[in-house]
Amino acid sequence: GNVTSGRRLYDATKRIQSARLYGDVATYQYYYIDILVGTPMPQRVSVIADTGSTICAFTCSGCQSCGQHLDANFDFSLSNSAEWTPCSKSCHSCRQKRCAYHQSYTEGSSIEGFQFTDFISLGDEFQQNPMVKVHMGCHTKETRLFVTQKANGILGLAPSERSTVLQEIFQDHEHVNGNIFSMCLSPQGGLLTVGYDSSTAVAWTPMRPQRFYSVSLKKMSLEGSSDSLTGFGHTFVDSGTTFTYLPDGLFRQLRDLVQGHCQTRCGQLTGSTCWQIPGESLENFPKIVFSFSKDITVHWAPTSYLF
């Protein structure tokens, strides 16, 4: 791909879009990207990259209950191409003769507002990704974490029977070479890519895209140990949370394996899940190995599972 000053640009030859991801596990506790919305002068909006939901929506001017975020609220009146979505049978609900939305999330927060269409491009102006017309949401109300978070909104990347921003970008065949996206997450930021470079070595595992991205986790084990945990069924891959959730029984078994490995060499165990670590070194903790279908393994470092 084309790279300028450390930023990856749109690859017009291979038709691959890229956008820088910001955020981290410890401070932000999510990863987000910038998108540019509207014409002729696109407005920058920061949105959480969330593979666990489908809606793309963000704060707009006039929202009385919205918090203070990284970017100014999107001003609908400044975009010549913005259009409210009129009521139809495909709307979840209607208010003021417009399509409305209300979305709640598992941690208790919610957003609501009106749907509209406009042109967007992924990333900021440096990435030079082409604009495409998509369906989005304009917040008139947000609650709890949506009020206090730094990002202005959310970009849902989960599969859906209804049209999503990701699906509408996929349909731009002139500028995107396939229905594939990827996220590379690092301790600080990362990269979102739409399209696929066939020259890149990638390990694949089967997935069931039914409302969520579900993969088959066969077992978890400690690196170098024959002991393993099984019985996970299908597991959701969700970029919108920095936590990993396990069934109670499997969590306790995994905790016991880690404690059995550590004994006294990892530090002083306090309570059932915490350690006091001399010098804050995690080198004595084991790596945890995820084993997926097609013999795909992922190694989970202590810096990732201890928080």
Side-chain angles (χ1 to χ4, degrees):
N2 303 318
V3 179
T4 301
S5 301
R7 296 175 180 266
R8 182 171 297 196
L9 305 181
Y10 171 65
D11 191 327
T13 303
K14 295 181 179 178
R15 292 178 294 140
I16 299 174
Q17 298 191 24
S18 301
R20 182 178 176 182
L21 285 165
Y22 303 88
D24 55 37
V25 173
T27 305
Y28 283 91
Q29 299 183 13
Y30 55 78
Y31 291 86
Y32 69 93
I33 69 166
D34 291 331
I35 59 175
L36 299 177
V37 185
T39 60
M41 293 293 293
Q43 301 171 54
R44 190 182 69 182
V45 179
S46 53
V47 286
I48 294 174
D50 181 23
T51 60
S53 64
T54 58
I55 191 172
C56 174
F58 40 80
T59 56
C60 289
S61 56
C63 178
Q64 298 299 316
S65 66
C66 294
Q68 296 294 315
H69 302 292
L70 289 170
D71 300 300
N73 290 347
F74 177 74
D75 191 335
F76 188 94
S77 67
L78 296 181
S79 177
N80 294 341
S81 48
E83 296 179 312
W84 295 114
T85 304
C87 285
S88 68
K89 293 181 179 179
S90 62
C91 294
H92 282 295
S93 63
C94 282
R95 285 187 288 125
Q96 303 174 23
K97 297 183 179 181
R98 301 173 187 166
C99 257
Y101 66 90
H102 176 90
Q103 179 69 55
S104 298
Y105 296 84
T106 53
E107 87 290 342
S109 61
S110 65
I111 51 175
E112 64 179 71
F114 295 102
Q115 296 178 4
F116 73 106
T117 58
D118 205 346
F119 286 92
I120 74 160
S121 65
L122 298 176
D124 54 33
E125 62 272 15
F126 295 101
Q127 264 99 47
Q128 301 177 12
N129 289 313
M131 299 199 87
V132 60
K133 196 165 191 177
V134 301
H135 291 78
M136 294 169 287
C138 213
H139 292 356
T140 58
K141 181 179 180 181
E142 57 183 11
T143 67
R144 302 185 69 168
L145 287 180
F146 274 95
V147 177
T148 58
Q149 71 184 26
K150 296 296 186 182
N152 288 57
I154 192 164
L155 172 61
L157 299 169
S160 174
E161 294 179 354
R162 293 174 177 269
S163 182
T164 66
V165 166
L166 182 61
Q167 290 170 359
E168 289 168 322
I169 294 174
F170 283 159
Q171 291 166 10
D172 182 18
H173 301 300
E174 181 181 351
H175 300 114
V176 176
N177 67 13
N179 295 357
I180 295 176
F181 79 98
S182 62
M183 296 177 69
C184 176
L185 303 178
S186 74
Q188 295 286 333
L191 188 71
L192 171 70
T193 302
V194 181
Y196 175 57
D197 186 350
S198 59
S199 65
T200 303
V202 176
W204 299 89
T205 189
M207 179 184 70
R208 293 194 307 179
Q210 298 174 343
R211 294 186 58 222
F212 301 98
Y213 297 109
S214 176
V215 295
S216 181
L217 176 58
K218 297 298 186 183
K219 66 178 181 178
M220 291 174 65
S221 59
L222 303 188
E223 188 177 57
S225 172
S226 59
D227 295 327
S228 62
L229 311 180
T230 59
F232 292 92
H234 282 269
T235 304
F236 298 139
V237 180
D238 184 2
S239 66
T241 177
T242 56
F243 291 102
T244 298
Y245 296 94
L246 300 173
D248 287 343
L250 291 172
F251 170 77
R252 287 193 293 269
Q253 291 178 55
L254 179 62
R255 179 198 60 194
D256 293 344
L257 287 178
V258 173
Q259 291 179 357
H261 170 90
C262 282
Q263 297 182 11
T264 59
R265 54 183 166 172
C266 296
Q268 179 64 44
L269 182 64
T270 61
S272 61
T273 57
C274 296
W275 279 266
Q276 289 183 340
I277 305 168
E280 298 186 356
S281 173
L282 302 178
E283 63 181 16
N284 290 326
F285 283 88
K287 289 184 178 179
I288 298 174
V289 182
F290 289 77
S291 298
F292 297 95
S293 296
K294 301 290 185 180
D295 296 324
I296 303 300
T297 58
V298 175
H299 291 247
W300 204 16
T303 51
S304 295
Y305 67 78
L306 290 173
F307 177 72

Coordinates of all heavy atoms in Angstrom, one line a residue, residues 148-178:
T148 N -20.0 10.4 28.8 CA -18.7 10.7 29.3 C -17.6 10.2 28.4 O -16.4 10.7 28.6 CB -18.6 9.9 30.7 OG1 -18.8 8.5 30.5 CG2 -19.6 10.5 31.7
Q149 N -17.8 9.4 27.4 CA -16.7 8.9 26.6 C -16.2 10.1 25.7 O -16.9 11.1 25.5 CB -17.2 7.8 25.7 CG -18.1 8.2 24.6 CD -18.6 7.0 23.8 OE1 -18.7 5.9 24.2 NE2 -19.0 7.3 22.5
K150 N -14.9 10.0 25.3 CA -14.3 11.0 24.4 C -14.8 11.0 23.0 O -15.0 12.0 22.4 CB -12.8 10.8 24.4 CG -12.1 11.0 25.8 CD -12.3 12.5 26.3 CE -11.5 12.7 27.5 NZ -11.7 14.1 28.1
A151 N -15.1 9.8 22.5 CA -15.5 9.7 21.1 C -16.9 10.2 20.9 O -17.8 10.1 21.9 CB -15.5 8.2 20.6
N152 N -17.2 10.8 19.8 CA -18.6 11.4 19.5 C -19.7 10.4 19.3 O -20.8 10.7 19.5 CB -18.5 12.3 18.3 CG -17.7 13.6 18.6 OD1 -16.6 13.5 19.0 ND2 -18.4 14.7 18.4
G153 N -19.3 9.2 18.9 CA -20.4 8.2 18.6 C -19.8 6.8 18.4 O -18.8 6.4 19.0
I154 N -20.5 6.0 17.6 CA -20.1 4.6 17.4 C -20.3 4.2 15.9 O -21.2 4.7 15.2 CB -21.0 3.7 18.3 CG1 -20.5 2.3 18.4 CG2 -22.5 3.8 17.9 CD1 -21.1 1.5 19.6
L155 N -19.4 3.4 15.5 CA -19.5 2.8 14.1 C -19.7 1.3 14.3 O -18.7 0.5 14.6 CB -18.2 3.1 13.3 CG -18.1 2.4 12.0 CD1 -19.2 2.8 11.0 CD2 -16.7 2.7 11.3
G156 N -20.9 0.8 14.1 CA -21.2 -0.6 14.2 C -20.8 -1.4 13.0 O -21.1 -1.0 11.9
L157 N -20.0 -2.4 13.2 CA -19.4 -3.2 12.1 C -19.9 -4.6 12.1 O -19.5 -5.4 11.3 CB -17.9 -3.2 12.3 CG -17.2 -1.9 12.2 CD1 -15.7 -2.0 12.6 CD2 -17.2 -1.3 10.8
A158 N -20.9 -4.9 12.9 CA -21.4 -6.3 13.0 C -22.3 -6.6 11.8 O -22.8 -5.7 11.1 CB -22.3 -6.5 14.2
P159 N -22.5 -7.9 11.4 CA -23.3 -8.2 10.3 C -24.8 -8.0 10.6 O -25.2 -8.1 11.7 CB -23.0 -9.7 10.1 CG -22.5 -10.2 11.4 CD -21.8 -9.0 12.0
S160 N -25.6 -7.7 9.6 CA -27.0 -7.4 9.8 C -27.8 -7.6 8.5 O -27.2 -7.5 7.4 CB -27.1 -5.9 10.2 OG -28.5 -5.5 10.3
E161 N -29.0 -8.0 8.7 CA -29.9 -8.1 7.5 C -30.3 -6.7 7.0 O -30.6 -6.6 5.8 CB -31.2 -8.8 7.9 CG -31.0 -10.3 8.3 CD -32.3 -11.0 8.8 OE1 -33.3 -10.3 8.8 OE2 -32.2 -12.2 9.0
R162 N -30.2 -5.7 7.8 CA -30.4 -4.4 7.4 C -29.1 -3.8 6.8 O -28.0 -4.2 7.2 CB -31.0 -3.5 8.5 CG -32.4 -3.9 8.9 CD -32.8 -3.1 10.1 NE -34.2 -3.3 10.6 CZ -35.2 -2.7 10.1 NH1 -35.0 -1.6 9.3 NH2 -36.4 -3.0 10.6
S163 N -29.2 -2.7 6.0 CA -28.0 -2.1 5.4 C -27.3 -1.4 6.5 O -27.8 -0.7 7.4 CB -28.4 -1.1 4.3 OG -27.3 -0.6 3.8
T164 N -25.9 -1.6 6.6 CA -25.1 -0.9 7.5 C -24.0 -0.1 6.7 O -23.9 -0.3 5.5 CB -24.3 -1.9 8.4 OG1 -23.4 -2.7 7.6 CG2 -25.3 -2.8 9.1
V165 N -23.3 0.8 7.4 CA -22.3 1.6 6.8 C -21.2 0.7 6.1 O -20.8 0.9 5.0 CB -21.7 2.6 7.8 CG1 -20.4 3.1 7.2 CG2 -22.6 3.7 8.2
L166 N -20.8 -0.4 6.9 CA -19.8 -1.2 6.3 C -20.3 -1.9 5.0 O -19.6 -2.0 4.0 CB -19.4 -2.3 7.3 CG -18.3 -3.3 6.9 CD1 -17.0 -2.6 6.7 CD2 -18.1 -4.3 8.0
Q167 N -21.5 -2.4 5.0 CA -22.1 -3.0 3.8 C -22.2 -2.0 2.7 O -22.0 -2.4 1.5 CB -23.5 -3.6 4.2 CG -23.4 -4.8 5.1 CD -24.8 -5.3 5.6 OE1 -25.8 -4.7 5.2 NE2 -24.8 -6.3 6.4
E168 N -22.5 -0.8 3.0 CA -22.6 0.2 1.9 C -21.3 0.6 1.4 O -21.1 0.8 0.2 CB -23.3 1.4 2.5 CG -24.8 1.2 2.7 CD -25.5 2.3 3.5 OE1 -24.9 2.8 4.4 OE2 -26.7 2.6 3.2
I169 N -20.2 0.5 2.2 CA -18.9 0.7 1.7 C -18.5 -0.5 0.8 O -17.8 -0.3 -0.2 CB -17.9 0.9 2.9 CG1 -18.2 2.2 3.6 CG2 -16.4 0.9 2.4 CD1 -17.4 2.5 4.8
F170 N -18.8 -1.7 1.3 CA -18.5 -2.9 0.5 C -19.1 -2.8 -0.9 O -18.5 -3.3 -1.9 CB -19.1 -4.1 1.1 CG -18.3 -4.7 2.3 CD1 -18.9 -5.5 3.3 CD2 -17.0 -4.3 2.5 CE1 -18.2 -6.0 4.4 CE2 -16.2 -4.8 3.6 CZ -16.9 -5.6 4.5
Q171 N -20.3 -2.2 -1.0 CA -21.0 -2.1 -2.3 C -20.3 -1.1 -3.3 O -20.7 -1.1 -4.5 CB -22.4 -1.7 -2.1 CG -23.2 -2.8 -1.4 CD -24.6 -2.4 -0.9 OE1 -25.0 -1.3 -1.1 NE2 -25.2 -3.2 -0.1
D172 N -19.4 -0.3 -2.8 CA -18.7 0.6 -3.7 C -17.6 -0.1 -4.4 O -16.4 0.1 -4.1 CB -18.1 1.8 -2.8 CG -17.4 2.8 -3.6 OD1 -17.6 2.9 -4.9 OD2 -16.6 3.6 -3.0
H173 N -17.9 -1.0 -5.3 CA -17.0 -1.9 -6.0 C -15.9 -1.1 -6.7 O -14.8 -1.6 -7.0 CB -17.7 -2.8 -6.9 CG -18.7 -3.7 -6.3 ND1 -18.4 -4.5 -5.2 CD2 -20.1 -3.7 -6.4 CE1 -19.5 -5.1 -4.8 NE2 -20.6 -4.7 -5.5
E174 N -16.2 0.1 -7.1 CA -15.2 0.9 -7.8 C -14.0 1.2 -7.0 O -12.8 1.4 -7.4 CB -15.8 2.2 -8.3 CG -14.9 3.1 -9.1 CD -15.5 4.4 -9.6 OE1 -16.7 4.6 -9.4 OE2 -14.8 5.3 -10.1
H175 N -14.2 1.3 -5.6 CA -13.2 1.7 -4.7 C -12.8 0.7 -3.7 O -11.8 0.9 -2.9 CB -13.6 3.0 -4.0 CG -13.8 4.1 -4.9 ND1 -15.1 4.7 -5.1 CD2 -13.0 4.8 -5.8 CE1 -15.0 5.7 -6.0 NE2 -13.8 5.8 -6.4
V176 N -13.5 -0.4 -3.6 CA -13.3 -1.5 -2.6 C -13.3 -2.8 -3.3 O -14.2 -3.1 -4.1 CB -14.3 -1.5 -1.5 CG1 -14.0 -2.7 -0.5 CG2 -14.2 -0.2 -0.7
N177 N -12.2 -3.7 -3.1 CA -12.1 -4.9 -3.9 C -12.8 -6.1 -3.4 O -12.7 -7.2 -4.0 CB -10.6 -5.2 -4.1 CG -9.9 -5.6 -2.8 OD1 -10.5 -5.9 -1.8 ND2 -8.6 -5.6 -2.9
G178 N -13.5 -6.1 -2.2 CA -14.1 -7.2 -1.7 C -14.8 -7.0 -0.4 O -14.6 -6.0 0.3

